[in-house]
Amino acid sequence: MKTINLTEQTVRDLNQALHAQAVECTEREWEVLEPKGQHNIACGLDQNLSVDIKGPTGYYCAGMNKKAHVTIHGNAGQGVAENMMSGTVRVKGDASQAAGATAHGGLLVIEGNAAARCGISMKGVDIVVKGNVGHMSCFMGQAGALVVCGDAGDALGDSIYETHIYVKGEVKSLGADCIEKEVREEHIEELTELLNRAGVDEDPAAFKRYGSARQLYNFKVDNTSAY
């Protein structure tokens, strides 16, 4: 295992060393000490690496991740796993707003709570939150799945496209064009698989499903005065 202490080396040093593994992989297991909330840690990875970050991180940790498996042993700042393509990112604490924003693939697991706009404009990522999510989560969600084991704040799924949302707790309010939907056998199977991948022990039958009413897809001349 390669260990980098961020009180002795810079985030740029760390990221350059991790990026170099995409050219020639010399070490697959990495440990990052003393992150102390610094921004942009472990961004843009493009190799099957395991990166353990031993402490809280700032903005955009593990952003643009591809193939790597990143674990944050603490809280994460805004935009964790933003635009992730593949791999996994696990936050052992809470995540600030816009977790998983615009992410195309992979799995993001937040073991605490996620703040506002979790999964905003998500495009294929799967997100599992063991706690609660804040307002406007899954805003304009296009694909993938958002699983919330706690409660959801205001305007869940506002202007949603085809993301699947599963919530076990209470939903304060649904956003525009987001409705509760029937939970069929295929959704139980999907949710079971997501919970298993995330290592979360919850009963899939206890969740409700939410998704698009598909009323905002096309322009309607009768609604001209509303635009």
Side-chain angles (χ1 to χ4, degrees):
M1 177 182 289
K2 175 73 172 178
T3 299
I4 291 184
N5 190 317
L6 289 181
T7 62
E8 301 169 359
Q9 294 177 270
T10 67
V11 172
R12 176 171 288 186
D13 293 334
L14 167 66
N15 286 342
Q16 286 181 335
L18 292 172
H19 293 170
Q21 302 306 303
V23 179
E24 180 183 5
C25 188
T26 58
E27 181 59 69
R28 292 203 181 273
E29 296 188 4
W30 294 72
E31 181 181 58
V32 181
L33 305 180
E34 304 291 345
K36 294 184 177 180
Q38 294 190 73
H39 306 316
N40 307 316
I41 295 173
C43 287
L45 305 189
D46 191 6
Q47 180 57 275
N48 183 15
L49 307 176
S50 173
V51 182
D52 267 348
I53 303 170
K54 302 291 188 175
T57 62
Y59 294 173
Y60 303 116
C61 181
M64 301 178 289
N65 185 58
K66 188 175 180 182
K67 304 178 186 176
H69 306 280
V70 180
T71 302
I72 301 165
H73 296 267
N75 299 329
Q78 178 173 312
V80 64
E82 181 264 346
N83 207 36
M84 176 166 67
M85 304 302 288
S86 61
T88 60
V89 176
R90 182 177 293 269
V91 181
K92 291 285 190 177
D94 297 328
S96 188
Q97 62 185 353
T102 74
H104 289 250
L107 174 67
L108 169 61
V109 181
I110 299 167
E111 297 191 358
N113 303 306
R117 300 175 182 84
C118 178
I120 182 172
S121 196
M122 54 191 286
K123 296 175 172 66
V125 67
D126 293 320
I127 303 176
V128 179
V129 181
K130 291 181 71 174
N132 307 321
V133 297
H135 66 270
M136 296 291 287
S137 287
C138 206
F139 172 58
M140 295 187 70
Q142 296 169 38
L146 171 63
V147 179
V148 182
C149 300
D151 301 329
D154 276 320
L156 176 70
D158 190 274
S159 303
I160 188 172
Y161 289 85
E162 293 301 320
T163 297
H164 293 177
I165 303 177
Y166 300 96
V167 181
K168 182 181 178 184
E170 298 297 320
V171 175
K172 190 167 185 181
S173 69
L174 295 174
D177 209 41
C178 185
I179 60 172
E180 183 176 347
K181 293 193 165 188
E182 177 188 5
V183 179
R184 299 190 297 271
E185 184 60 33
E186 64 263 32
H187 303 119
I188 293 292
E189 291 175 1
E190 177 185 45
L191 183 52
T192 299
E193 192 263 342
L194 287 167
L195 292 169
N196 287 340
R197 283 172 60 203
V200 175
D201 184 16
E202 293 282 0
D203 178 9
F207 288 75
K208 293 181 179 179
R209 182 172 76 99
Y210 303 89
S212 177
R214 302 187 176 99
Q215 296 301 303
L216 297 180
Y217 277 22
N218 301 298
F219 175 79
K220 295 180 180 178
V221 68
D222 292 341
N223 297 336
T224 302
S225 61
Y227 298 121

